[in-house]
Amino acid sequence: MTEQQGAGPGPADAPASATQIGARVLPAFDDHHPPEQELIEDCVHCGFCLPTCPTYVLWGEEMDSPRGRIYLMEIGRQGEAMNDEMVRHFDQCLGCMACVTACPSGVQYGKLIEATRQQVERRYPRSRRDRAFRALIFRLFPYPRRLRLLRGPLRLYQRSHLGTLARRAGLLDRLPERLSAMERLTPALGRLEPVPEVTPATGTRRRRVGMLTGCVQRVFFPEVNAATARVLAADGCEVVAPAGQGCCGALSLHAGREAEAQAFARAAIDTFDAAEVDQVVVNAAGCGSAMKEYGHLLRDDPAYAERAKAFSERVRDLSELLVELGPVAPRHPLPIKVAWHDACHLAHAQGIRAQPRKALRAIPGLEVREIPEAEICCGSAGIYNLVEPEPAAELGDRKAANVLATGADLLVTSNPGCLLQLRNALERRGERLAMAHVAEVLDAAVRGAQPGSLLDR
Ligand code: SF4
Ligand code: SF4
């Protein structure tokens, strides 16, 4: 299958009717799905969401809280121009959805910020530098083939310790902050470990599941995909990982690039429908939450609206499916103290908190420890730690301190971005802590591997 070309809307798509005054756009929102008035009115301004909003926690600014951002959407609807300041407050939102969990009035902030971001991307003239950096991200990350081309040079760079030398010489500090963040957040690359197109179930087949291999996950964390397929097979799933699958569109969706996200979503639906699977399993929280939103994303598309809704209902996070099925393969003991980190797109966006804990606690000898302030984002948030590196680093530092306070031997989560963000935050403190994806821990327990296989790497 040919990789799709970036089709994201940009300032060039701003409608002729919009008046730009310097960096002000009037009207703020066009008629194509502006943030909905009814959803805005659900907010009763109680402020219960404020203590869980990471940007409000950092700065104490009303306009950097969920309530403040909803107010900005409201005044945008009432005729206020979209200006630099307004866009900064929207850009600084991590999209972590902690406010959705905290809100007693059921405000659907996810739909509001998604609609707002689409308006910003379509209408607001970002600076040339910002556009160039975003173009780099969106022409690279959603395309596994392009990412794979980078593996060779990156491995060479990492093996030659050029990065360490450049860092010691202070050369990396001279890079623009965003490029420096990109360098720091690049994972250490191991061997490529492709997942077979079909992995047969061990014993009786209970389900035939499709597996999203992801873009970054497939190229930078192949061992997580390999572990995922083994665990699913051990618990009775035939695992189908279609070779032609592309990006699920999560990064594009969460950044407001509507047309691009829709194109990726249509392709994913076609791929997995053709594979005739019962369910589609996802091992990256951000991807899973986006795929569960396909019904909403494609609601205007007569050819896909119904299919997208049905597809979203079949999407499962790995831990969600394993707990739904119940374990078949015996779990061998792993006497390890584990700090479980709730990825925001798993806990807040998908409401999945109990399942990964239950799956881990089923391993004899394994102790799950809770991280203080678990509801506050680690600062990874899709591309947030690349486009907003300073607040992301502050949040990473805060999370790292909370993780260390647990006294755990191993940090476990379900999202590759969180692992990179926390590894980087711990390095800044001069600390090291073993980290693993939940699939790798379950796989080690199923295979009867020694704890050292997780702790000594
Ligand atoms: S999504 Fe996260 S950062 Fe954005 S307003 Fe809600 S809590 Fe704050
Ligand atoms: S979003 Fe919810 S919790 Fe926050 S102020 Fe509005 S109603 Fe209250």
Side-chain angles (χ1 to χ4, degrees):
M1 180 200 257
T2 317
E3 290 183 347
Q4 299 137 28
Q5 297 304 307
D13 302 311
S17 61
T19 312
Q20 291 176 16
I21 311 158
R24 287 158 51 85
V25 180
L26 261 176
F29 304 131
D30 63 26
D31 290 341
H32 179 67
H33 296 310
E36 283 179 50
Q37 188 61 31
E38 271 181 23
L39 299 188
I40 289 173
E41 285 171 8
D42 285 340
C43 175
V44 296
H45 315 294
C46 65
F48 281 127
C49 53
L50 269 52
T52 62
C53 172
T55 50
Y56 187 79
V57 167
L58 286 183
W59 305 314
E61 286 286 335
E62 176 67 15
M63 292 308 147
D64 283 312
S65 77
R67 185 173 64 185
R69 292 183 177 116
I70 293 170
Y71 170 76
L72 292 174
M73 295 171 198
E74 166 94 66
I75 61 171
R77 282 196 65 113
Q78 286 171 0
E80 188 72 28
M82 183 190 288
N83 57 34
D84 292 344
E85 206 186 326
M86 189 187 269
V87 171
R88 274 309 289 148
H89 293 303
F90 293 139
D91 279 354
Q92 282 170 171
C93 169
L94 291 103
C96 67
M97 304 302 141
C99 48
V100 174
T101 299
C103 178
S105 303
V107 169
Q108 297 180 56
Y109 182 82
K111 283 188 180 153
L112 287 171
I113 192 69
E114 191 180 303
T116 304
R117 288 211 153 120
Q118 289 173 8
Q119 295 276 346
V120 170
E121 289 317 299
R122 207 162 47 237
R123 299 164 61 73
Y124 178 71
R126 292 192 182 278
S127 69
R128 190 182 294 268
R129 184 181 285 207
D130 197 9
R131 281 208 309 273
F133 188 69
R134 285 169 193 266
L136 171 70
I137 289 175
F138 286 101
R139 286 190 187 141
L140 186 60
F141 287 118
Y143 301 98
R145 285 182 207 167
R146 297 176 198 176
L147 284 175
R148 214 172 284 133
L149 290 177
L150 272 184
R151 271 186 63 93
L154 274 177
R155 279 193 89 182
L156 202 64
Y157 173 75
Q158 291 176 348
R159 285 179 163 194
S160 65
H161 301 295
L162 270 178
T164 317
L165 292 174
R167 205 165 298 132
R168 281 199 196 129
L171 293 179
L172 296 181
D173 298 338
R174 292 192 204 158
L175 284 177
E177 185 51 31
R178 285 172 160 186
L179 287 179
S180 164
M182 208 176 230
E183 194 277 343
R184 285 193 310 271
L185 289 162
T186 305
L189 296 174
R191 265 187 323 112
L192 262 182
E193 211 175 327
V195 175
E197 269 207 70
V198 179
T199 306
T202 307
T204 309
R205 186 180 94 170
R206 302 162 83 197
R207 301 264 165 100
R208 176 176 158 90
V209 298
M211 178 176 151
L212 181 82
T213 48
C215 308
V216 173
Q217 190 89 290
R218 185 184 325 181
V219 179
F220 293 140
F221 298 93
E223 64 284 359
V224 172
N225 280 344
T228 302
R230 283 195 295 268
V231 170
L232 286 167
D235 273 348
C237 294
E238 180 182 19
V239 185
V240 183
Q245 63 179 295
C247 176
C248 68
L251 287 184
S252 309
L253 175 65
H254 297 145
R257 297 166 72 95
E258 185 187 18
E260 190 174 83
Q262 286 172 333
F264 284 132
R266 288 187 196 99
I269 293 168
D270 288 345
T271 301
F272 285 103
D273 278 0
E276 297 182 340
V277 292
D278 304 320
Q279 271 144 342
V280 178
V281 185
V282 188
N283 61 13
C287 304
S289 92
M291 292 170 89
K292 288 181 179 180
E293 280 182 50
Y294 280 179
H296 183 69
L297 177 66
L298 295 173
R299 62 197 181 284
D300 295 334
D301 182 334
Y304 278 85
E306 282 309 310
R307 284 177 69 193
K309 222 166 119 194
F311 180 88
S312 288
E313 283 164 12
R314 287 189 292 143
V315 174
R316 297 285 186 280
D317 175 70
L318 171 67
S319 65
E320 189 181 17
L321 179 69
L322 290 176
V323 168
E324 194 177 299
L325 280 170
V328 170
R331 270 57 170 165
H332 299 277
L334 278 177
I336 306 179
K337 295 187 285 292
V338 158
W340 170 254
H341 166 64
D342 283 307
C344 295
H345 276 103
L346 192 67
H348 298 307
Q350 298 183 57
I352 295 177
R353 295 179 184 83
Q355 295 91 327
R357 288 172 171 81
K358 188 170 178 186
L360 287 170
R361 287 195 174 114
I363 300 173
L366 187 143
E367 181 192 339
V368 179
R369 295 194 171 179
E370 297 297 333
I371 300 173
E373 290 190 342
E375 69 286 1
I376 300 208
C377 181
C378 67
S380 167
I383 61 165
Y384 191 87
N385 54 1
L386 299 178
V387 292
E388 302 289 345
E390 282 150 15
E394 275 190 67
L395 291 167
D397 291 344
R398 191 177 176 116
K399 184 65 78 180
N402 281 321
V403 168
L404 291 172
T406 64
D409 312 313
L410 180 71
L411 174 70
V412 181
T413 188
S414 59
N415 205 42
C418 302
L419 288 172
L420 294 176
Q421 169 76 353
L422 289 167
R423 187 204 62 178
N424 188 239
L426 287 162
E427 272 173 9
R428 260 197 309 276
R429 296 172 62 104
E431 305 270 4
R432 272 185 65 83
L433 181 65
M435 296 184 186
H437 189 282
V438 64
E440 296 175 285
V441 181
L442 295 168
D443 178 49
V446 167
R447 289 188 292 114
Q450 293 299 310
S453 67
L454 295 167
L455 300 179
D456 306 332
R457 47 186 207 166

mmCIF file of all heavy atoms in Angstrom, residues 11-38:
data_model
loop_
_atom_site.group_PDB
_atom_site.id
_atom_site.type_symbol
_atom_site.label_atom_id
_atom_site.label_comp_id
_atom_site.label_asym_id
_atom_site.label_seq_id
_atom_site.Cartn_x
_atom_site.Cartn_y
_atom_site.Cartn_z
ATOM 1 N N PRO A 11 -2.903 27.247 6.922
ATOM 2 C CA PRO A 11 -3.401 28.605 6.763
ATOM 3 C C PRO A 11 -3.808 28.893 5.330
ATOM 4 O O PRO A 11 -4.682 29.704 5.088
ATOM 5 C CB PRO A 11 -2.207 29.468 7.163
ATOM 6 C CG PRO A 11 -1.288 28.571 7.897
ATOM 7 C CD PRO A 11 -1.565 27.190 7.451
ATOM 8 N N ALA A 12 -3.170 28.181 4.376
ATOM 9 C CA ALA A 12 -3.529 28.416 2.982
ATOM 10 C C ALA A 12 -4.991 28.059 2.730
ATOM 11 O O ALA A 12 -5.601 28.535 1.775
ATOM 12 C CB ALA A 12 -2.641 27.590 2.074
ATOM 13 N N ASP A 13 -5.564 27.216 3.627
ATOM 14 C CA ASP A 13 -6.954 26.818 3.443
ATOM 15 C C ASP A 13 -7.925 27.832 4.061
ATOM 16 O O ASP A 13 -9.120 27.639 4.045
ATOM 17 C CB ASP A 13 -7.201 25.451 4.091
ATOM 18 C CG ASP A 13 -6.283 24.410 3.497
ATOM 19 O OD1 ASP A 13 -6.223 24.351 2.269
ATOM 20 O OD2 ASP A 13 -5.621 23.692 4.250
ATOM 21 N N ALA A 14 -7.404 28.902 4.682
ATOM 22 C CA ALA A 14 -8.299 29.874 5.314
ATOM 23 C C ALA A 14 -9.273 30.415 4.283
ATOM 24 O O ALA A 14 -8.886 30.795 3.185
ATOM 25 C CB ALA A 14 -7.484 31.022 5.905
ATOM 26 N N PRO A 15 -10.582 30.413 4.591
ATOM 27 C CA PRO A 15 -11.566 30.847 3.610
ATOM 28 C C PRO A 15 -11.398 32.321 3.260
ATOM 29 O O PRO A 15 -10.948 33.116 4.084
ATOM 30 C CB PRO A 15 -12.899 30.607 4.329
ATOM 31 C CG PRO A 15 -12.571 30.507 5.776
ATOM 32 C CD PRO A 15 -11.153 30.055 5.869
ATOM 33 N N ALA A 16 -11.762 32.677 2.044
ATOM 34 C CA ALA A 16 -11.577 34.044 1.585
ATOM 35 C C ALA A 16 -12.349 35.026 2.450
ATOM 36 O O ALA A 16 -11.982 36.188 2.567
ATOM 37 C CB ALA A 16 -12.022 34.146 0.139
ATOM 38 N N SER A 17 -13.450 34.557 3.093
ATOM 39 C CA SER A 17 -14.275 35.471 3.872
ATOM 40 C C SER A 17 -13.606 35.883 5.184
ATOM 41 O O SER A 17 -14.004 36.859 5.799
ATOM 42 C CB SER A 17 -15.619 34.822 4.170
ATOM 43 O OG SER A 17 -15.399 33.647 4.915
ATOM 44 N N ALA A 18 -12.576 35.129 5.614
ATOM 45 C CA ALA A 18 -11.943 35.468 6.889
ATOM 46 C C ALA A 18 -11.055 36.691 6.713
ATOM 47 O O ALA A 18 -10.312 36.795 5.761
ATOM 48 C CB ALA A 18 -11.114 34.289 7.373
ATOM 49 N N THR A 19 -11.167 37.642 7.651
ATOM 50 C CA THR A 19 -10.336 38.839 7.582
ATOM 51 C C THR A 19 -9.176 38.664 8.543
ATOM 52 O O THR A 19 -9.382 38.448 9.724
ATOM 53 C CB THR A 19 -11.153 40.061 8.039
ATOM 54 O OG1 THR A 19 -12.396 40.016 7.360
ATOM 55 C CG2 THR A 19 -10.427 41.351 7.738
ATOM 56 N N GLN A 20 -7.947 38.764 8.054
ATOM 57 C CA GLN A 20 -6.794 38.656 8.931
ATOM 58 C C GLN A 20 -6.249 40.052 9.189
ATOM 59 O O GLN A 20 -5.933 40.789 8.273
ATOM 60 C CB GLN A 20 -5.717 37.786 8.296
ATOM 61 C CG GLN A 20 -6.137 36.338 8.214
ATOM 62 C CD GLN A 20 -5.125 35.501 7.501
ATOM 63 O OE1 GLN A 20 -3.993 35.898 7.318
ATOM 64 N NE2 GLN A 20 -5.541 34.323 7.098
ATOM 65 N N ILE A 21 -6.184 40.434 10.460
ATOM 66 C CA ILE A 21 -5.647 41.744 10.813
ATOM 67 C C ILE A 21 -4.379 41.452 11.606
ATOM 68 O O ILE A 21 -4.448 41.098 12.765
ATOM 69 C CB ILE A 21 -6.637 42.525 11.684
ATOM 70 C CG1 ILE A 21 -8.020 42.495 11.044
ATOM 71 C CG2 ILE A 21 -6.150 43.933 11.940
ATOM 72 C CD1 ILE A 21 -9.143 42.749 12.002
ATOM 73 N N GLY A 22 -3.197 41.569 10.952
ATOM 74 C CA GLY A 22 -1.992 41.118 11.636
ATOM 75 C C GLY A 22 -2.171 39.660 11.960
ATOM 76 O O GLY A 22 -2.472 38.855 11.086
ATOM 77 N N ALA A 23 -2.042 39.293 13.226
ATOM 78 C CA ALA A 23 -2.257 37.907 13.615
ATOM 79 C C ALA A 23 -3.632 37.751 14.247
ATOM 80 O O ALA A 23 -3.800 37.016 15.200
ATOM 81 C CB ALA A 23 -1.154 37.466 14.556
ATOM 82 N N ARG A 24 -4.605 38.510 13.762
ATOM 83 C CA ARG A 24 -5.987 38.373 14.246
ATOM 84 C C ARG A 24 -6.850 37.873 13.095
ATOM 85 O O ARG A 24 -6.708 38.320 11.967
ATOM 86 C CB ARG A 24 -6.536 39.725 14.706
ATOM 87 C CG ARG A 24 -5.934 40.212 16.026
ATOM 88 C CD ARG A 24 -6.079 41.704 16.176
ATOM 89 N NE ARG A 24 -7.439 42.198 15.954
ATOM 90 C CZ ARG A 24 -8.401 42.236 16.869
ATOM 91 N NH1 ARG A 24 -8.156 41.794 18.084
ATOM 92 N NH2 ARG A 24 -9.586 42.704 16.579
ATOM 93 N N VAL A 25 -7.726 36.937 13.376
ATOM 94 C CA VAL A 25 -8.595 36.394 12.328
ATOM 95 C C VAL A 25 -10.047 36.623 12.739
ATOM 96 O O VAL A 25 -10.456 36.242 13.837
ATOM 97 C CB VAL A 25 -8.339 34.877 12.127
ATOM 98 C CG1 VAL A 25 -9.249 34.322 11.051
ATOM 99 C CG2 VAL A 25 -6.887 34.610 11.787
ATOM 100 N N LEU A 26 -10.778 37.283 11.870
ATOM 101 C CA LEU A 26 -12.196 37.547 12.140
ATOM 102 C C LEU A 26 -13.067 36.956 11.046
ATOM 103 O O LEU A 26 -12.732 37.157 9.880
ATOM 104 C CB LEU A 26 -12.440 39.057 12.151
ATOM 105 C CG LEU A 26 -12.506 39.773 13.502
ATOM 106 C CD1 LEU A 26 -12.643 41.263 13.282
ATOM 107 C CD2 LEU A 26 -13.630 39.248 14.363
ATOM 108 N N PRO A 27 -14.116 36.270 11.290
ATOM 109 C CA PRO A 27 -14.510 35.811 12.621
ATOM 110 C C PRO A 27 -13.554 34.725 13.116
ATOM 111 O O PRO A 27 -12.847 34.117 12.308
ATOM 112 C CB PRO A 27 -15.919 35.239 12.382
ATOM 113 C CG PRO A 27 -15.916 34.814 10.946
ATOM 114 C CD PRO A 27 -15.009 35.783 10.224
ATOM 115 N N ALA A 28 -13.552 34.494 14.427
ATOM 116 C CA ALA A 28 -12.614 33.511 14.983
ATOM 117 C C ALA A 28 -12.889 32.114 14.396
ATOM 118 O O ALA A 28 -11.964 31.375 14.089
ATOM 119 C CB ALA A 28 -12.744 33.468 16.503
ATOM 120 N N PHE A 29 -14.172 31.794 14.251
ATOM 121 C CA PHE A 29 -14.533 30.441 13.800
ATOM 122 C C PHE A 29 -15.388 30.516 12.540
ATOM 123 O O PHE A 29 -16.256 31.392 12.423
ATOM 124 C CB PHE A 29 -15.324 29.706 14.890
ATOM 125 C CG PHE A 29 -14.604 29.631 16.212
ATOM 126 C CD1 PHE A 29 -15.252 29.975 17.397
ATOM 127 C CD2 PHE A 29 -13.280 29.203 16.289
ATOM 128 C CE1 PHE A 29 -14.598 29.908 18.624
ATOM 129 C CE2 PHE A 29 -12.613 29.131 17.509
ATOM 130 C CZ PHE A 29 -13.275 29.486 18.678
ATOM 131 N N ASP A 30 -15.160 29.595 11.620
ATOM 132 C CA ASP A 30 -16.042 29.515 10.455
ATOM 133 C C ASP A 30 -17.190 28.546 10.759
ATOM 134 O O ASP A 30 -17.319 28.049 11.884
ATOM 135 C CB ASP A 30 -15.240 29.124 9.192
ATOM 136 C CG ASP A 30 -14.598 27.746 9.301
ATOM 137 O OD1 ASP A 30 -15.128 26.888 10.056
ATOM 138 O OD2 ASP A 30 -13.576 27.515 8.628
ATOM 139 N N ASP A 31 -18.004 28.273 9.759
ATOM 140 C CA ASP A 31 -19.206 27.465 10.003
ATOM 141 C C ASP A 31 -18.951 25.967 10.001
ATOM 142 O O ASP A 31 -19.868 25.180 10.237
ATOM 143 C CB ASP A 31 -20.258 27.760 8.915
ATOM 144 C CG ASP A 31 -20.812 29.155 9.087
ATOM 145 O OD1 ASP A 31 -20.655 29.702 10.199
ATOM 146 O OD2 ASP A 31 -21.363 29.699 8.108
ATOM 147 N N HIS A 32 -17.742 25.557 9.674
ATOM 148 C CA HIS A 32 -17.475 24.115 9.629
ATOM 149 C C HIS A 32 -17.116 23.607 11.038
ATOM 150 O O HIS A 32 -15.995 23.712 11.487
ATOM 151 C CB HIS A 32 -16.335 23.814 8.647
ATOM 152 C CG HIS A 32 -15.997 22.345 8.585
ATOM 153 N ND1 HIS A 32 -16.865 21.395 8.080
ATOM 154 C CD2 HIS A 32 -14.902 21.659 8.999
ATOM 155 C CE1 HIS A 32 -16.313 20.203 8.164
ATOM 156 N NE2 HIS A 32 -15.122 20.330 8.727
ATOM 157 N N HIS A 33 -18.097 23.096 11.734
ATOM 158 C CA HIS A 33 -17.928 22.564 13.093
ATOM 159 C C HIS A 33 -17.144 23.487 14.025
ATOM 160 O O HIS A 33 -16.075 23.111 14.529
ATOM 161 C CB HIS A 33 -17.248 21.189 13.044
ATOM 162 C CG HIS A 33 -18.068 20.144 12.346
ATOM 163 N ND1 HIS A 33 -19.395 19.910 12.642
ATOM 164 C CD2 HIS A 33 -17.756 19.267 11.370
ATOM 165 C CE1 HIS A 33 -19.864 18.943 11.878
ATOM 166 N NE2 HIS A 33 -18.895 18.536 11.078
ATOM 167 N N PRO A 34 -17.669 24.685 14.301
ATOM 168 C CA PRO A 34 -17.051 25.469 15.377
ATOM 169 C C PRO A 34 -17.329 24.764 16.714
ATOM 170 O O PRO A 34 -18.191 23.881 16.768
ATOM 171 C CB PRO A 34 -17.800 26.808 15.302
ATOM 172 C CG PRO A 34 -19.116 26.466 14.686
ATOM 173 C CD PRO A 34 -18.876 25.312 13.763
ATOM 174 N N PRO A 35 -16.609 25.118 17.797
ATOM 175 C CA PRO A 35 -16.947 24.509 19.096
ATOM 176 C C PRO A 35 -18.427 24.741 19.401
ATOM 177 O O PRO A 35 -18.919 25.868 19.283
ATOM 178 C CB PRO A 35 -16.031 25.243 20.080
ATOM 179 C CG PRO A 35 -15.440 26.396 19.341
ATOM 180 C CD PRO A 35 -15.534 26.101 17.885
ATOM 181 N N GLU A 36 -19.136 23.666 19.750
ATOM 182 C CA GLU A 36 -20.609 23.741 19.827
ATOM 183 C C GLU A 36 -21.088 24.539 21.025
ATOM 184 O O GLU A 36 -20.638 24.294 22.153
ATOM 185 C CB GLU A 36 -21.185 22.325 19.920
ATOM 186 C CG GLU A 36 -21.201 21.589 18.601
ATOM 187 C CD GLU A 36 -21.748 20.182 18.762
ATOM 188 O OE1 GLU A 36 -22.831 20.033 19.367
ATOM 189 O OE2 GLU A 36 -21.077 19.245 18.309
ATOM 190 N N GLN A 37 -22.025 25.449 20.763
ATOM 191 C CA GLN A 37 -22.576 26.305 21.826
ATOM 192 C C GLN A 37 -23.166 25.457 22.963
ATOM 193 O O GLN A 37 -22.962 25.746 24.136
ATOM 194 C CB GLN A 37 -23.649 27.239 21.225
ATOM 195 C CG GLN A 37 -24.160 28.298 22.179
ATOM 196 C CD GLN A 37 -23.056 29.258 22.658
ATOM 197 O OE1 GLN A 37 -22.102 29.532 21.924
ATOM 198 N NE2 GLN A 37 -23.155 29.697 23.904
ATOM 199 N N GLU A 38 -23.888 24.389 22.602
ATOM 200 C CA GLU A 38 -24.528 23.559 23.636
ATOM 201 C C GLU A 38 -23.496 22.939 24.561
ATOM 202 O O GLU A 38 -23.703 22.832 25.766
ATOM 203 C CB GLU A 38 -25.308 22.413 22.970
ATOM 204 C CG GLU A 38 -26.712 22.796 22.645
ATOM 205 C CD GLU A 38 -27.480 21.642 22.018
ATOM 206 O OE1 GLU A 38 -27.091 20.476 22.218
ATOM 207 O OE2 GLU A 38 -28.447 21.931 21.312
#
